[in-house]
Amino acid sequence: MKNISTKNFQETQKVGEEFASTLKGGEVLALYGDLGSGKTTFMQGFAKGLGITKHIISPTFIIMRTYNAGNREFVSGIRNLYHVDLYRIESEKDVDGLGLLELMNQPENIVAIEWPDKIENVLPEKRINIYFKYLGDDKREIRIG
Ligand SMILES: Nc1ncnc2c1ncn2[C@@H]1O[C@H](COP(=O)(O)OP(=O)(O)OP(=O)(O)O)[C@@H](O)[C@H]1O
Ligand SMILES: [Mg+2]
């Protein structure tokens, strides 16, 4: 359990970037927190930390964006990042077609979910929870675990 305060978006990206280097592959990340609390910003740094050069944009309107390693690996054999945003879904049924559960806990994949509360009942118990809190204009608090 770790509480981190950030005072601008770059610091939150940095936290994400450093966190990425601690993963081995197969992790599921549940990113909890209000609108604008910094989940996607964290994921931008996280992707960079994995070795993804593409700019991460919010998957809000398409639910899931996939980032593939191509012929290389990101870090520690990680080949795919699935970045999911469930803000717009109404029930667990809305993610059936994504095959989300099949992607989880596979060593070559990382699945990172914004608004995981929407599928709380089907989320695997084995996951890393990350909590984001809005503290003021540019201030955020991030708690991992
Ligand atoms: N310390 C900070 N950490 C993260 N973001 C910050 C910080 N200070 C300001 N911001 C700004 O706050 C916004 C955070 O938006 P972001 O898309 O990351 O939130 P989110 O949690 O993903 O929201 P949503 O639930 O809508 O997807 C960005 O515009 C970012 O630049
Ligand atoms: Mg977001």
PDB file of all heavy atoms in Angstrom, residues 47 50-54 66-82 108-110:
ATOM      1  N   ALA A  47       2.179   3.369 -20.139  1.00  0.00           N
ATOM      2  CA  ALA A  47       2.478   2.845 -21.482  1.00  0.00           C
ATOM      3  C   ALA A  47       3.917   3.162 -21.863  1.00  0.00           C
ATOM      4  O   ALA A  47       4.636   2.323 -22.393  1.00  0.00           O
ATOM      5  CB  ALA A  47       1.505   3.422 -22.501  1.00  0.00           C
ATOM      6  N   LEU A  50       6.218   0.830 -20.311  1.00  0.00           N
ATOM      7  CA  LEU A  50       6.238  -0.508 -20.931  1.00  0.00           C
ATOM      8  C   LEU A  50       7.059  -0.500 -22.203  1.00  0.00           C
ATOM      9  O   LEU A  50       7.414  -1.556 -22.728  1.00  0.00           O
ATOM     10  CB  LEU A  50       4.813  -0.955 -21.294  1.00  0.00           C
ATOM     11  CG  LEU A  50       3.874  -1.454 -20.210  1.00  0.00           C
ATOM     12  CD1 LEU A  50       2.620  -2.046 -20.855  1.00  0.00           C
ATOM     13  CD2 LEU A  50       4.524  -2.485 -19.317  1.00  0.00           C
ATOM     14  N   GLY A  51       7.299   0.691 -22.740  1.00  0.00           N
ATOM     15  CA  GLY A  51       8.031   0.790 -24.000  1.00  0.00           C
ATOM     16  C   GLY A  51       7.140   1.106 -25.181  1.00  0.00           C
ATOM     17  O   GLY A  51       7.533   0.977 -26.335  1.00  0.00           O
ATOM     18  N   ILE A  52       5.917   1.532 -24.892  1.00  0.00           N
ATOM     19  CA  ILE A  52       4.971   1.891 -25.954  1.00  0.00           C
ATOM     20  C   ILE A  52       5.227   3.344 -26.346  1.00  0.00           C
ATOM     21  O   ILE A  52       5.212   4.237 -25.488  1.00  0.00           O
ATOM     22  CB  ILE A  52       3.516   1.699 -25.470  1.00  0.00           C
ATOM     23  CG1 ILE A  52       3.262   0.225 -25.177  1.00  0.00           C
ATOM     24  CG2 ILE A  52       2.511   2.234 -26.498  1.00  0.00           C
ATOM     25  CD1 ILE A  52       1.943  -0.067 -24.482  1.00  0.00           C
ATOM     26  N   THR A  53       5.460   3.560 -27.633  1.00  0.00           N
ATOM     27  CA  THR A  53       5.798   4.918 -28.072  1.00  0.00           C
ATOM     28  C   THR A  53       4.557   5.677 -28.551  1.00  0.00           C
ATOM     29  O   THR A  53       4.547   6.896 -28.614  1.00  0.00           O
ATOM     30  CB  THR A  53       6.848   4.885 -29.205  1.00  0.00           C
ATOM     31  OG1 THR A  53       6.429   3.921 -30.173  1.00  0.00           O
ATOM     32  CG2 THR A  53       8.198   4.473 -28.650  1.00  0.00           C
ATOM     33  N   LYS A  54       3.512   4.914 -28.876  1.00  0.00           N
ATOM     34  CA  LYS A  54       2.269   5.537 -29.311  1.00  0.00           C
ATOM     35  C   LYS A  54       1.647   6.331 -28.164  1.00  0.00           C
ATOM     36  O   LYS A  54       1.704   5.912 -27.012  1.00  0.00           O
ATOM     37  CB  LYS A  54       1.293   4.419 -29.702  1.00  0.00           C
ATOM     38  CG  LYS A  54       0.608   4.659 -31.018  1.00  0.00           C
ATOM     39  CD  LYS A  54      -0.211   3.446 -31.377  1.00  0.00           C
ATOM     40  CE  LYS A  54      -1.243   3.879 -32.392  1.00  0.00           C
ATOM     41  NZ  LYS A  54      -2.141   2.803 -32.738  1.00  0.00           N
ATOM     42  N   THR A  66      -6.184  -1.385 -27.880  1.00  0.00           N
ATOM     43  CA  THR A  66      -5.128  -2.373 -27.781  1.00  0.00           C
ATOM     44  C   THR A  66      -3.820  -1.795 -28.297  1.00  0.00           C
ATOM     45  O   THR A  66      -3.806  -1.160 -29.343  1.00  0.00           O
ATOM     46  CB  THR A  66      -5.496  -3.609 -28.641  1.00  0.00           C
ATOM     47  OG1 THR A  66      -6.780  -4.073 -28.238  1.00  0.00           O
ATOM     48  CG2 THR A  66      -4.484  -4.720 -28.467  1.00  0.00           C
ATOM     49  N   TYR A  67      -2.760  -2.009 -27.546  1.00  0.00           N
ATOM     50  CA  TYR A  67      -1.438  -1.595 -27.980  1.00  0.00           C
ATOM     51  C   TYR A  67      -0.578  -2.846 -28.078  1.00  0.00           C
ATOM     52  O   TYR A  67      -0.381  -3.538 -27.078  1.00  0.00           O
ATOM     53  CB  TYR A  67      -0.834  -0.590 -26.984  1.00  0.00           C
ATOM     54  CG  TYR A  67      -1.698   0.646 -26.856  1.00  0.00           C
ATOM     55  CD1 TYR A  67      -2.758   0.688 -25.953  1.00  0.00           C
ATOM     56  CD2 TYR A  67      -1.491   1.747 -27.678  1.00  0.00           C
ATOM     57  CE1 TYR A  67      -3.590   1.802 -25.860  1.00  0.00           C
ATOM     58  CE2 TYR A  67      -2.309   2.870 -27.597  1.00  0.00           C
ATOM     59  CZ  TYR A  67      -3.357   2.884 -26.686  1.00  0.00           C
ATOM     60  OH  TYR A  67      -4.181   3.987 -26.598  1.00  0.00           O
ATOM     61  N   ASN A  68      -0.110  -3.165 -29.280  1.00  0.00           N
ATOM     62  CA  ASN A  68       0.669  -4.388 -29.511  1.00  0.00           C
ATOM     63  C   ASN A  68       2.152  -4.073 -29.630  1.00  0.00           C
ATOM     64  O   ASN A  68       2.536  -3.028 -30.124  1.00  0.00           O
ATOM     65  CB  ASN A  68       0.216  -5.082 -30.801  1.00  0.00           C
ATOM     66  CG  ASN A  68      -1.213  -5.580 -30.692  1.00  0.00           C
ATOM     67  OD1 ASN A  68      -2.072  -5.178 -31.448  1.00  0.00           O
ATOM     68  ND2 ASN A  68      -1.451  -6.425 -29.725  1.00  0.00           N
ATOM     69  N   ALA A  69       2.937  -5.036 -29.210  1.00  0.00           N
ATOM     70  CA  ALA A  69       4.384  -4.856 -29.253  1.00  0.00           C
ATOM     71  C   ALA A  69       4.962  -5.094 -30.643  1.00  0.00           C
ATOM     72  O   ALA A  69       6.102  -4.756 -30.900  1.00  0.00           O
ATOM     73  CB  ALA A  69       5.039  -5.799 -28.247  1.00  0.00           C
ATOM     74  N   GLY A  70       4.193  -5.698 -31.541  1.00  0.00           N
ATOM     75  CA  GLY A  70       4.740  -6.010 -32.862  1.00  0.00           C
ATOM     76  C   GLY A  70       5.778  -7.109 -32.742  1.00  0.00           C
ATOM     77  O   GLY A  70       5.550  -8.101 -32.055  1.00  0.00           O
ATOM     78  N   ASN A  71       6.919  -6.924 -33.374  1.00  0.00           N
ATOM     79  CA  ASN A  71       7.950  -7.970 -33.386  1.00  0.00           C
ATOM     80  C   ASN A  71       8.841  -7.944 -32.158  1.00  0.00           C
ATOM     81  O   ASN A  71       9.774  -8.708 -32.048  1.00  0.00           O
ATOM     82  CB  ASN A  71       8.835  -7.833 -34.620  1.00  0.00           C
ATOM     83  CG  ASN A  71       8.042  -8.157 -35.854  1.00  0.00           C
ATOM     84  OD1 ASN A  71       7.153  -9.002 -35.824  1.00  0.00           O
ATOM     85  ND2 ASN A  71       8.342  -7.465 -36.941  1.00  0.00           N
ATOM     86  N   ARG A  72       8.575  -6.997 -31.272  1.00  0.00           N
ATOM     87  CA  ARG A  72       9.463  -6.926 -30.110  1.00  0.00           C
ATOM     88  C   ARG A  72       8.657  -7.269 -28.862  1.00  0.00           C
ATOM     89  O   ARG A  72       7.631  -7.914 -28.939  1.00  0.00           O
ATOM     90  CB  ARG A  72      10.072  -5.533 -30.031  1.00  0.00           C
ATOM     91  CG  ARG A  72       9.030  -4.480 -30.202  1.00  0.00           C
ATOM     92  CD  ARG A  72       9.527  -3.091 -30.518  1.00  0.00           C
ATOM     93  NE  ARG A  72       8.354  -2.239 -30.420  1.00  0.00           N
ATOM     94  CZ  ARG A  72       8.044  -1.520 -29.382  1.00  0.00           C
ATOM     95  NH1 ARG A  72       8.823  -1.488 -28.340  1.00  0.00           N
ATOM     96  NH2 ARG A  72       6.936  -0.827 -29.358  1.00  0.00           N
ATOM     97  N   GLU A  73       9.162  -6.879 -27.706  1.00  0.00           N
ATOM     98  CA  GLU A  73       8.412  -7.032 -26.469  1.00  0.00           C
ATOM     99  C   GLU A  73       8.400  -5.674 -25.817  1.00  0.00           C
ATOM    100  O   GLU A  73       9.244  -4.834 -26.104  1.00  0.00           O
ATOM    101  CB  GLU A  73       9.110  -8.034 -25.548  1.00  0.00           C
ATOM    102  CG  GLU A  73       8.999  -9.462 -26.036  1.00  0.00           C
ATOM    103  CD  GLU A  73       9.828 -10.408 -25.177  1.00  0.00           C
ATOM    104  OE1 GLU A  73      10.598  -9.913 -24.326  1.00  0.00           O
ATOM    105  OE2 GLU A  73       9.695 -11.617 -25.352  1.00  0.00           O
ATOM    106  N   PHE A  74       7.456  -5.432 -24.948  1.00  0.00           N
ATOM    107  CA  PHE A  74       7.501  -4.188 -24.189  1.00  0.00           C
ATOM    108  C   PHE A  74       8.536  -4.383 -23.077  1.00  0.00           C
ATOM    109  O   PHE A  74       9.705  -4.196 -23.277  1.00  0.00           O
ATOM    110  CB  PHE A  74       6.124  -3.835 -23.639  1.00  0.00           C
ATOM    111  CG  PHE A  74       5.097  -3.527 -24.703  1.00  0.00           C
ATOM    112  CD1 PHE A  74       3.767  -3.851 -24.515  1.00  0.00           C
ATOM    113  CD2 PHE A  74       5.456  -2.900 -25.896  1.00  0.00           C
ATOM    114  CE1 PHE A  74       2.815  -3.546 -25.476  1.00  0.00           C
ATOM    115  CE2 PHE A  74       4.515  -2.594 -26.868  1.00  0.00           C
ATOM    116  CZ  PHE A  74       3.186  -2.933 -26.658  1.00  0.00           C
ATOM    117  N   VAL A  75       8.111  -4.796 -21.904  1.00  0.00           N
ATOM    118  CA  VAL A  75       9.090  -5.184 -20.869  1.00  0.00           C
ATOM    119  C   VAL A  75       8.703  -6.564 -20.339  1.00  0.00           C
ATOM    120  O   VAL A  75       7.536  -6.942 -20.388  1.00  0.00           O
ATOM    121  CB  VAL A  75       9.170  -4.170 -19.689  1.00  0.00           C
ATOM    122  CG1 VAL A  75       9.659  -2.822 -20.187  1.00  0.00           C
ATOM    123  CG2 VAL A  75       7.849  -4.037 -18.976  1.00  0.00           C
ATOM    124  N   SER A  76       9.651  -7.301 -19.854  1.00  0.00           N
ATOM    125  CA  SER A  76       9.420  -8.613 -19.247  1.00  0.00           C
ATOM    126  C   SER A  76       8.511  -9.498 -20.088  1.00  0.00           C
ATOM    127  O   SER A  76       7.643 -10.179 -19.533  1.00  0.00           O
ATOM    128  CB  SER A  76       8.799  -8.479 -17.858  1.00  0.00           C
ATOM    129  OG  SER A  76       9.440  -7.505 -17.118  1.00  0.00           O
ATOM    130  N   GLY A  77       8.665  -9.481 -21.385  1.00  0.00           N
ATOM    131  CA  GLY A  77       7.859 -10.361 -22.221  1.00  0.00           C
ATOM    132  C   GLY A  77       6.431  -9.886 -22.440  1.00  0.00           C
ATOM    133  O   GLY A  77       5.626 -10.590 -23.033  1.00  0.00           O
ATOM    134  N   ILE A  78       6.109  -8.705 -21.962  1.00  0.00           N
ATOM    135  CA  ILE A  78       4.755  -8.179 -22.162  1.00  0.00           C
ATOM    136  C   ILE A  78       4.595  -7.735 -23.620  1.00  0.00           C
ATOM    137  O   ILE A  78       5.414  -6.982 -24.141  1.00  0.00           O
ATOM    138  CB  ILE A  78       4.483  -6.999 -21.197  1.00  0.00           C
ATOM    139  CG1 ILE A  78       4.516  -7.498 -19.750  1.00  0.00           C
ATOM    140  CG2 ILE A  78       3.116  -6.363 -21.509  1.00  0.00           C
ATOM    141  CD1 ILE A  78       4.586  -6.390 -18.712  1.00  0.00           C
ATOM    142  N   ARG A  79       3.549  -8.220 -24.264  1.00  0.00           N
ATOM    143  CA  ARG A  79       3.366  -7.950 -25.685  1.00  0.00           C
ATOM    144  C   ARG A  79       2.124  -7.114 -26.000  1.00  0.00           C
ATOM    145  O   ARG A  79       2.023  -6.532 -27.072  1.00  0.00           O
ATOM    146  CB  ARG A  79       3.288  -9.264 -26.473  1.00  0.00           C
ATOM    147  CG  ARG A  79       4.504 -10.170 -26.244  1.00  0.00           C
ATOM    148  CD  ARG A  79       4.510 -11.340 -27.203  1.00  0.00           C
ATOM    149  NE  ARG A  79       4.346 -10.861 -28.572  1.00  0.00           N
ATOM    150  CZ  ARG A  79       5.341 -10.403 -29.327  1.00  0.00           C
ATOM    151  NH1 ARG A  79       6.557 -10.373 -28.847  1.00  0.00           N
ATOM    152  NH2 ARG A  79       5.109  -9.987 -30.553  1.00  0.00           N
ATOM    153  N   ASN A  80       1.167  -7.115 -25.088  1.00  0.00           N
ATOM    154  CA  ASN A  80      -0.073  -6.390 -25.359  1.00  0.00           C
ATOM    155  C   ASN A  80      -0.549  -5.616 -24.141  1.00  0.00           C
ATOM    156  O   ASN A  80      -0.555  -6.137 -23.026  1.00  0.00           O
ATOM    157  CB  ASN A  80      -1.208  -7.363 -25.733  1.00  0.00           C
ATOM    158  CG  ASN A  80      -0.789  -8.356 -26.784  1.00  0.00           C
ATOM    159  OD1 ASN A  80      -0.487  -7.997 -27.914  1.00  0.00           O
ATOM    160  ND2 ASN A  80      -0.761  -9.628 -26.400  1.00  0.00           N
ATOM    161  N   LEU A  81      -0.958  -4.383 -24.389  1.00  0.00           N
ATOM    162  CA  LEU A  81      -1.636  -3.613 -23.350  1.00  0.00           C
ATOM    163  C   LEU A  81      -3.076  -3.390 -23.806  1.00  0.00           C
ATOM    164  O   LEU A  81      -3.312  -2.879 -24.905  1.00  0.00           O
ATOM    165  CB  LEU A  81      -0.949  -2.260 -23.139  1.00  0.00           C
ATOM    166  CG  LEU A  81      -1.721  -1.245 -22.271  1.00  0.00           C
ATOM    167  CD1 LEU A  81      -1.882  -1.745 -20.830  1.00  0.00           C
ATOM    168  CD2 LEU A  81      -1.022   0.120 -22.275  1.00  0.00           C
ATOM    169  N   TYR A  82      -4.013  -3.810 -22.976  1.00  0.00           N
ATOM    170  CA  TYR A  82      -5.432  -3.567 -23.241  1.00  0.00           C
ATOM    171  C   TYR A  82      -5.899  -2.493 -22.271  1.00  0.00           C
ATOM    172  O   TYR A  82      -5.927  -2.717 -21.062  1.00  0.00           O
ATOM    173  CB  TYR A  82      -6.244  -4.855 -23.068  1.00  0.00           C
ATOM    174  CG  TYR A  82      -5.806  -5.934 -24.030  1.00  0.00           C
ATOM    175  CD1 TYR A  82      -4.869  -6.892 -23.642  1.00  0.00           C
ATOM    176  CD2 TYR A  82      -6.298  -5.976 -25.339  1.00  0.00           C
ATOM    177  CE1 TYR A  82      -4.438  -7.869 -24.533  1.00  0.00           C
ATOM    178  CE2 TYR A  82      -5.874  -6.954 -26.234  1.00  0.00           C
ATOM    179  CZ  TYR A  82      -4.947  -7.890 -25.816  1.00  0.00           C
ATOM    180  OH  TYR A  82      -4.514  -8.851 -26.700  1.00  0.00           O
ATOM    181  N   GLU A 108       1.576 -12.519 -21.274  1.00  0.00           N
ATOM    182  CA  GLU A 108       1.966 -11.558 -22.323  1.00  0.00           C
ATOM    183  C   GLU A 108       1.049 -10.338 -22.345  1.00  0.00           C
ATOM    184  O   GLU A 108       1.281  -9.408 -23.105  1.00  0.00           O
ATOM    185  CB  GLU A 108       2.026 -12.237 -23.701  1.00  0.00           C
ATOM    186  CG  GLU A 108       0.695 -12.693 -24.266  1.00  0.00           C
ATOM    187  CD  GLU A 108       0.269 -14.096 -23.824  1.00  0.00           C
ATOM    188  OE1 GLU A 108       0.739 -14.575 -22.760  1.00  0.00           O
ATOM    189  OE2 GLU A 108      -0.553 -14.701 -24.528  1.00  0.00           O
ATOM    190  N   ASN A 109       0.022 -10.330 -21.496  1.00  0.00           N
ATOM    191  CA  ASN A 109      -0.947  -9.231 -21.506  1.00  0.00           C
ATOM    192  C   ASN A 109      -0.968  -8.432 -20.214  1.00  0.00           C
ATOM    193  O   ASN A 109      -0.798  -8.986 -19.130  1.00  0.00           O
ATOM    194  CB  ASN A 109      -2.375  -9.782 -21.685  1.00  0.00           C
ATOM    195  CG  ASN A 109      -2.582 -10.468 -23.020  1.00  0.00           C
ATOM    196  OD1 ASN A 109      -1.804 -10.269 -23.955  1.00  0.00           O
ATOM    197  ND2 ASN A 109      -3.630 -11.266 -23.109  1.00  0.00           N
ATOM    198  N   ILE A 110      -1.238  -7.144 -20.368  1.00  0.00           N
ATOM    199  CA  ILE A 110      -1.658  -6.324 -19.224  1.00  0.00           C
ATOM    200  C   ILE A 110      -3.048  -5.811 -19.575  1.00  0.00           C
ATOM    201  O   ILE A 110      -3.277  -5.305 -20.678  1.00  0.00           O
ATOM    202  CB  ILE A 110      -0.742  -5.096 -19.023  1.00  0.00           C
ATOM    203  CG1 ILE A 110       0.716  -5.495 -18.785  1.00  0.00           C
ATOM    204  CG2 ILE A 110      -1.277  -4.218 -17.892  1.00  0.00           C
ATOM    205  CD1 ILE A 110       1.041  -5.990 -17.407  1.00  0.00           C
TER     206      ILE A 110
END
